[in-house]
Amino acid sequence: MKNKIKIIHVITHLPIGGAQDNTLYTVELLDKEKYDISLCCNLDGELVERAENIRGIKIFDIPFLCREVNPYKDIKAFILLYKLFKKENYTIIHTHSSKAGLLGRFAAMLNKTPVIIHTIHGFAFNDFMNVFKKSFFINVEKLLAKWTNVLITVSNLNKKKIIDLNIAKETKLKNIYSGIDLKLFTNKNNIEFRKELNLKSHHILLGSVGRLSFQKDPITMINAFDIVAKRFSNAHLVLVGDGELRSIIVDRIDQLHLNDRVHLTGNKNNPWKIYHSLDLFIMSSIYEGLGRSITEALSCGVPVVCTSVEGVPEIVRDNKTGILVPPKDASALAEGVIKSLNNMEAAKKMASKGRKFVNDNFDVNKMVGDIDALYDRQL
């Protein structure tokens, strides 16, 4: 029998998120007869149980892997990764997210791993950070790219950005859209989620699915909804997700007296049951690799209003598949929402075009097939 190809996927930890979903789908769907698959991460987050239920893979827990910069934990995590890679002697090491990408690629390079691949789900730098900090992160990415055989991007706009910033040459780049399980999102309309929120059919429900974090900028969304709420007395907003800004959001909702009209549900493991209850999906992120929740919303035919950042315009083409607005601009976001609500027929037509684009390009089986073909080419 032919020896299996030893491969490990490394990600920081497992909260609900696009990078985590992408990674878990990959280790779930890769051919177990062809690959000896391992997953390495800090076993922390809502998706740990899903990871532990994947048959035919090995899981390595490195509790020192964490999102924030922490010299003590980062050094400990690096040493453990280096020892693991040395002991297991992998043919392919595939890293995901910035921290795991930094520590994992450095450890793989020192171990002379034959194939080192990194997926850029989003950049460690953005236009809203200190210019020196941004420059530092860009230079770190340039160095790491030298140790990487292939950088996978999740949008062609991200790929263009890497070339423009001279982080890596185009020959090292491969765009593979971050797939979703389309079968989960093509269920017919259901109103379970609206019932959960005690909303009736005459209520307008705007919604967002994502972390309550600096990146997602939920405060701008709340401020935009305050403008919308004054125009539409039957409008409600739901934020599905959790994160470090929750208490600040609660305070802002309180200040604006929107407690009865803004709903915070926390994390939910079944987002496919949410979108069909929404009249409009909103995203206010200040940076976004692609915006997985946008692909999910469009796959359900829900109209979208999103910030025009990073890879988002690749899915949401302004006034064609949705409405784009500048980031950190509550007035513009509110205007986009009001425009959609005033002409829902046009908004739904755009969403229908967006749905076709998502269905043609974002099937998770296509994503894993493309990754498998990439591995073959590298070997």
Side-chain angles (χ1 to χ4, degrees):
M1 195 178 89
K2 210 168 86 169
N3 284 343
K4 290 183 184 180
I5 300 156
K6 283 194 81 170
I7 180 170
I8 188 166
H9 283 259
V10 187
I11 191 162
T12 313
H13 60 326
L14 295 174
I16 291 171
Q20 290 74 19
D21 222 15
N22 175 303
T23 306
L24 293 181
Y25 274 135
T26 306
V27 296
E28 280 167 348
L29 296 175
L30 279 172
D31 183 357
K32 307 296 187 298
E33 295 300 312
K34 179 177 176 181
Y35 298 104
D36 177 345
I37 305 166
S38 296
L39 173 68
C40 175
C41 60
N42 176 352
L43 281 175
D44 174 54
E46 295 83 359
L47 298 178
V48 169
E49 189 180 347
R50 175 179 163 190
E52 289 176 336
N53 284 332
I54 300 172
R55 289 184 180 179
I57 70 162
K58 301 184 195 80
I59 297 181
F60 296 95
D61 179 19
I62 296 190
F64 300 103
L65 274 171
C66 59
R67 194 181 172 90
E68 63 283 352
V69 175
N70 181 316
Y72 171 75
K73 286 185 175 179
D74 293 346
I75 291 165
K76 293 280 280 186
F78 168 74
I79 291 167
L80 289 172
L81 284 169
Y82 176 80
K83 286 180 175 174
L84 173 64
F85 297 169
K86 193 173 185 66
K87 181 186 172 203
E88 295 291 330
N89 194 25
Y90 295 103
T91 302
I92 301 172
I93 291 176
H94 187 157
T95 60
H96 303 259
S97 73
S98 300
K99 177 66 75 66
L102 167 63
L103 302 178
R105 281 185 282 172
F106 187 31
M109 184 272 295
L110 291 178
N111 270 295
K112 296 186 170 59
T113 301
V115 179
I116 302 171
I117 293 173
H118 176 65
T119 298
I120 299 168
H121 298 278
F123 296 104
F125 52 88
N126 64 77
D127 293 337
F128 293 92
M129 67 172 36
N130 173 298
V131 67
F132 298 108
K133 190 175 176 183
K134 182 181 175 183
S135 176
F136 171 75
F137 280 125
I138 289 171
N139 284 315
V140 168
E141 287 297 339
K142 284 180 182 178
L143 177 63
L144 291 170
K146 289 184 169 65
W147 307 335
T148 312
N149 295 78
V150 182
L151 287 166
I152 297 175
T153 57
V154 294
S155 80
N156 286 301
L157 289 172
N158 286 351
K159 183 177 169 181
K160 182 180 182 300
K161 186 170 185 170
I162 291 168
I163 296 164
D164 291 347
L165 290 170
N166 203 24
I167 289 172
K169 296 275 193 295
E170 189 169 5
T171 50
K172 268 198 177 184
L173 302 174
K174 171 69 178 169
N175 189 68
I176 299 176
Y177 285 131
S178 192
I180 59 174
D181 187 346
L182 293 170
K183 292 191 299 294
L184 290 174
F185 294 92
T186 50
N187 59 335
K188 299 298 175 203
N189 287 356
N190 67 67
I191 55 167
E192 281 173 43
F193 188 56
R194 291 179 83 95
K195 283 181 182 170
E196 205 179 296
L197 300 175
N198 289 320
L199 297 182
K200 303 288 186 284
S201 58
H202 72 277
H203 288 122
I204 296 167
L205 184 57
L206 319 175
S208 170
V209 178
R211 288 193 321 278
L212 305 182
S213 63
F214 170 76
Q215 176 200 345
K216 305 292 182 182
D217 192 20
I219 296 300
T220 292
M221 187 180 295
I222 301 292
N223 292 337
F225 180 69
D226 183 46
I227 299 167
V228 174
K230 289 177 171 68
R231 292 278 297 273
F232 295 87
S233 59
N234 58 339
H236 285 247
L237 172 68
V238 62
L239 275 65
V240 177
D242 214 336
E244 62 271 21
L245 296 186
R246 188 183 176 98
S247 59
I248 295 168
I249 292 164
V250 169
D251 289 345
R252 186 63 184 145
I253 292 167
D254 207 36
Q255 286 165 8
L256 296 170
H257 307 295
L258 290 170
N259 305 65
D260 295 336
R261 297 178 64 183
V262 179
H263 312 268
L264 304 178
T265 68
N267 285 321
K268 285 192 173 287
N269 279 327
N270 53 353
W272 50 91
K273 291 191 174 173
I274 289 160
Y275 295 103
H276 285 293
S277 288
L278 302 180
D279 294 294
L280 196 64
F281 176 83
I282 316 171
M283 195 194 75
S284 53
S285 297
I286 59 168
Y287 61 95
E288 197 75 54
L290 185 72
R292 188 180 195 78
S293 55
I294 307 171
T295 59
E296 293 173 347
L298 284 174
S299 74
C300 296
V302 180
V304 298
V305 179
C306 303
T307 44
S308 181
V309 293
E310 305 285 0
V312 172
E314 200 159 321
I315 319 174
V316 184
R317 284 164 297 145
D318 194 27
N319 289 309
K320 290 191 174 73
T321 59
I323 291 178
L324 289 175
V325 299
K328 285 205 169 292
D329 188 337
S331 300
L333 186 58
E335 199 178 303
V337 170
I338 291 164
K339 181 182 174 183
S340 298
L341 294 179
N342 280 333
N343 193 347
M344 282 305 284
E345 195 180 332
K348 283 177 178 171
K349 276 184 185 167
M350 289 194 286
S352 182
K353 286 182 188 169
R355 181 182 211 164
K356 184 179 184 322
F357 179 71
V358 168
N359 288 348
D360 288 349
N361 292 283
F362 289 87
D363 185 345
V364 70
N365 293 295
K366 181 183 186 311
M367 174 188 85
V368 177
D370 288 348
I371 290 170
D372 180 34
L374 176 67
Y375 293 164
D376 280 344
R377 283 197 298 277
Q378 290 305 305
L379 295 166

